[in-house]
Amino acid sequence: MKHLLLAAGLLTLAAPALPVKPVPVSAPRPALADPNTTDEVPQDQKLVIYQLMTRLFGNKVALNKPYGTIAENGCGKFNDITDKALDEIKALGVSHVWYTGVIEHATMTDYTTQGIPADDADVVKGRAGSPYAIKDYYDVAPDLAVVVKNRMAEYEALIGRTHAHGLKVLMDFIPNHVARAYKSDAKPVGVVDLGAADDKTKAFTPNNNYYYLPGKSFVVPAGYNPLGPLKGPREDGKYAELPAKATGNDVFSEAPTVNDWFETVKLNYGVDYAHGRALHFSPVPDTWKKMRDILVFWAGKNVDGFRCDMAEMVPVEFWAYVIPEVKKVRPDIVFIGEAYSAKEYKTYLDKGHFDFLYDKVGLYDGLRRLMRDEGTTEDITKVWQQESRGFSSHMLRFLENHDEQRIASKDFATDPFRAVPAMTVTATLASGPVMLYFGQEVGEPAHGSEGFSGEDGRTTIFDYWGVPEHQKWLNQGKFDGTKLSPDQQKLRDFYRRLLTLAGSSEAIRRGRFYELQDANNLGKQYNQRHLYAYLRYTDHQQVLVVVNFSPDKAYRPDLIISPEAYAAMGIPTNATAVYTYQDLLNGGEPLLGLNQVLEPLSAHVYELRRK
């Protein structure tokens, strides 16, 4: 959702293997906590999530006309996600599919003939509209249906089809804001619509669903051109809203700017922003109850979890109330929070009852710097040692999603193979979920200006568009990848091997963690700015992960597993004579020791095996 703020050679084994060189045993250390590990007992929560933008995933049209209509540029449908597509997604090692942009949202496409009110272009972003400007919480987007009147049945069929392939379904929940023209036509009998019972004469009252600016009319941001050089439907620089409502990104003015989330209105969870954010949570606010009912409605459709948009923009007390309420209905349902405030992680996990939170400002940002050859591996250490210490199993890790720039874009790393070491760390550093965004596995670069999005290194969420490199794998619905280049096939195979390993290895799924930077940082060939090594281990499996982030320099270090690390794993330090090292990620013959060339942009996951 934060994207709405924007208005504007794989690995090789080389060289003969030499023995491991354990660190000499020194005098006993004081009884202090080992700084190379934590006392966290990992939980086996290795969800492997494939996020796909439903509107874009199955679209076969390649015209890609800027600001193009649905008829010109095409649109993917629920039915485009076929049995074959799901087979291929599962073959990547995936366990969960996040269908993004399912709920009905404001759009410039006219569905009035289907009984759906038209939207005003002055408060819609992009020809297709933002999937985070919800128009009806109880309905799905008509764009996604082959037969519009059957749209819910088509989505329900997709849920069933996904489950039949042994995959679980995640979908969005957008609690903080709705489209300015929100009105539910599909709500169940007896449901009172958001705002229908509000006292609009008051700026705030605990049971209002919205915040109001009494006596003031909404003002469309000056200079907003919904379709650039083209004219949008009903576009006249005006939108009738009296009294004006507060805007989604906490703007309490009738005149938000073009850089605000002006197409949305803020929902009222009982926080009085005008009076020092005073909290009014007892009795339970009406908005809490309405959102609970919406979640229970979708849980009843047999979805398996929700990715909760901008979770920190609504009070944690709401989550503390609503998540247990929904789990009374579906105890196994999963809640993933989009979160950006590291100091609040523990609160939203413990008090808010989230199962998982985004690890964006920690691991993603640190790995992004490393992929751009701007950071150091100390950023990774900071994540496990400080930011997510004690709860790393609850952090969702990723390198791409709909808000972030594509790795292969000129704005990020240009070369999709720069993801090899970073994605390996993303998938194996801890026991929590890992996520892949559709097109990432074939190096989609997000070239071109789609319309509202502009050329920003992202795949648009606002426009009708074909995703060119992804479409080579899609191959007009064959999902066979025959149009991919050899490099793209190689990249996709890397993701398949990595995600399959992450989802199947006991040590990665639920093993403890031990960092080896201190043990190796004095080695002549161990440049810890580029190299990062750690162990993941259980009583039954021990693996060593080592990656090289350098885009152009190979290293040949004498990798050291310290006596303390051996002790932590319950392994004697004479491992040289007892163990071999099998690369689970890349294959090849077992190594007798750990002195081999670490090629640029490489990653290895070695299993320690008794001879």
Side-chain angles (χ1 to χ4, degrees), residues 249-266:
N249 59 320
D250 296 357
V251 174
F252 291 81
S253 166
E254 76 279 10
T257 72
V258 75
N259 293 316
D260 289 316
W261 303 349
F262 64 85
E263 82 284 22
T264 69
V265 291
K266 174 85 174 175

Side-chain angles (χ1 to χ4, degrees), residues 471-541:
Q471 286 181 328
K472 293 178 181 177
W473 173 72
L474 170 66
N475 192 15
Q476 292 299 309
K478 295 178 184 176
F479 298 100
D480 58 9
T482 57
K483 293 187 177 181
L484 296 175
S485 71
D487 272 350
Q488 287 177 312
Q489 291 175 349
K490 191 176 183 182
L491 183 69
R492 194 171 189 278
D493 183 62
F494 159 72
Y495 279 103
R496 178 191 61 77
R497 289 183 283 110
L498 175 64
L499 297 178
T500 300
L501 175 61
S504 61
S505 162
E506 176 183 298
I508 294 169
R509 289 192 65 97
R510 61 182 183 87
R512 290 182 179 269
F513 169 88
Y514 199 102
E515 188 184 83
L516 296 175
Q517 297 298 86
D518 282 353
N520 287 279
N521 63 9
L522 297 180
K524 292 181 180 179
Q525 276 285 304
Y526 198 88
N527 180 347
Q528 68 172 357
R529 179 174 180 269
H530 288 146
L531 302 184
Y532 191 70
Y534 53 95
L535 298 161
R536 297 292 310 284
Y537 61 94
T538 67
D539 290 342
H540 304 290
Q541 186 186 37

Side-chain angles (χ1 to χ4, degrees), residues 299-600:
K301 299 291 184 185
N302 210 22
V303 302
D304 302 289
F306 299 99
R307 177 269 189 189
C308 301
D309 188 70
M310 299 305 293
E312 295 163 310
M313 291 189 75
V314 300
V316 69
E317 291 84 356
F318 164 71
W319 299 113
Y321 158 82
V322 81
I323 291 177
E325 285 286 297
V326 179
K327 290 195 175 190
K328 289 177 185 176
V329 178
R330 281 284 305 279
D332 59 341
I333 206 157
V334 170
F335 281 82
I336 300 170
E338 180 189 13
Y340 299 102
S341 179
K343 68 181 186 298
E344 297 294 335
Y345 288 165
K346 200 85 168 65
T347 301
Y348 276 78
L349 289 170
D350 292 348
K351 183 177 181 180
H353 301 301
F354 272 99
D355 297 291
F356 307 106
L357 298 176
Y358 270 35
D359 191 348
K360 192 275 179 190
V361 297
L363 192 63
Y364 169 88
D365 283 353
L367 292 174
R368 179 184 170 98
R369 288 188 289 271
L370 279 160
M371 293 166 72
R372 291 167 59 87
D373 205 20
E374 297 169 352
T376 75
T377 60
E378 291 175 3
D379 289 334
I380 306 172
T381 302
K382 180 181 177 183
V383 168
W384 69 259
Q385 203 171 64
Q386 300 177 34
E387 287 186 352
S388 60
R389 187 183 187 98
F391 52 87
S392 66
S393 300
H394 296 276
M395 302 306 293
L396 167 65
R397 270 73 189 253
F398 54 84
L399 291 182
E400 286 190 358
N401 64 43
H402 66 278
D403 280 320
E404 308 302 341
Q405 291 173 328
R406 292 287 193 176
I407 296 162
S409 74
K410 60 183 176 58
D411 303 281
F412 189 164
T414 67
D415 178 2
F417 284 93
R418 291 202 178 206
V420 169
M423 195 67 191
T424 302
V425 172
T426 298
T428 67
L429 187 69
S431 296
V434 58
M435 184 167 73
L436 182 73
Y437 189 40
F438 88 107
Q440 178 182 343
E441 70 273 30
V442 295
E444 173 58 44
H447 290 158
S449 177
E450 304 100 337
F452 176 82
S453 277
E455 185 153 13
D456 61 1
R458 297 170 176 83
T459 293
T460 180
I461 65 169
F462 304 102
D463 309 282
Y464 298 112
W465 203 249
V467 184
E469 301 310 310
H470 166 73
Q471 286 181 328
K472 293 178 181 177
W473 173 72
L474 170 66
N475 192 15
Q476 292 299 309
K478 295 178 184 176
F479 298 100
D480 58 9
T482 57
K483 293 187 177 181
L484 296 175
S485 71
D487 272 350
Q488 287 177 312
Q489 291 175 349
K490 191 176 183 182
L491 183 69
R492 194 171 189 278
D493 183 62
F494 159 72
Y495 279 103
R496 178 191 61 77
R497 289 183 283 110
L498 175 64
L499 297 178
T500 300
L501 175 61
S504 61
S505 162
E506 176 183 298
I508 294 169
R509 289 192 65 97
R510 61 182 183 87
R512 290 182 179 269
F513 169 88
Y514 199 102
E515 188 184 83
L516 296 175
Q517 297 298 86
D518 282 353
N520 287 279
N521 63 9
L522 297 180
K524 292 181 180 179
Q525 276 285 304
Y526 198 88
N527 180 347
Q528 68 172 357
R529 179 174 180 269
H530 288 146
L531 302 184
Y532 191 70
Y534 53 95
L535 298 161
R536 297 292 310 284
Y537 61 94
T538 67
D539 290 342
H540 304 290
Q541 186 186 37
Q542 303 83 36
V543 299
L544 164 65
V545 182
V546 57
V547 298
N548 179 9
F549 286 98
S550 174
D552 50 25
K553 184 170 177 55
Y555 296 96
R556 189 176 180 177
D558 295 326
L559 285 174
I560 294 170
I561 298 175
S562 65
E564 294 88 349
Y566 279 124
M569 292 189 291
I571 293 176
T573 56
N574 65 341
T576 299
V578 179
Y579 286 87
T580 61
Y581 307 91
Q582 178 65 56
D583 192 337
L584 301 179
L585 182 59
N586 306 295
E589 293 298 314
L591 301 176
L592 298 178
L594 293 168
N595 173 274
Q596 80 284 344
V597 174
L598 301 177
E599 298 288 353

Side-chain angles (χ1 to χ4, degrees), residues 37-64:
T37 189
T38 76
D39 57 3
E40 178 180 356
V41 178
Q43 300 174 41
D44 184 352
Q45 301 190 129
K46 187 57 73 177
L47 285 61
V48 180
I49 301 169
Y50 188 83
Q51 182 195 3
L52 63 86
M53 180 62 64
T54 316
R55 180 201 297 154
L56 303 179
F57 179 82
N59 185 21
K60 307 176 186 70
V61 181
L63 176 65
N64 283 355

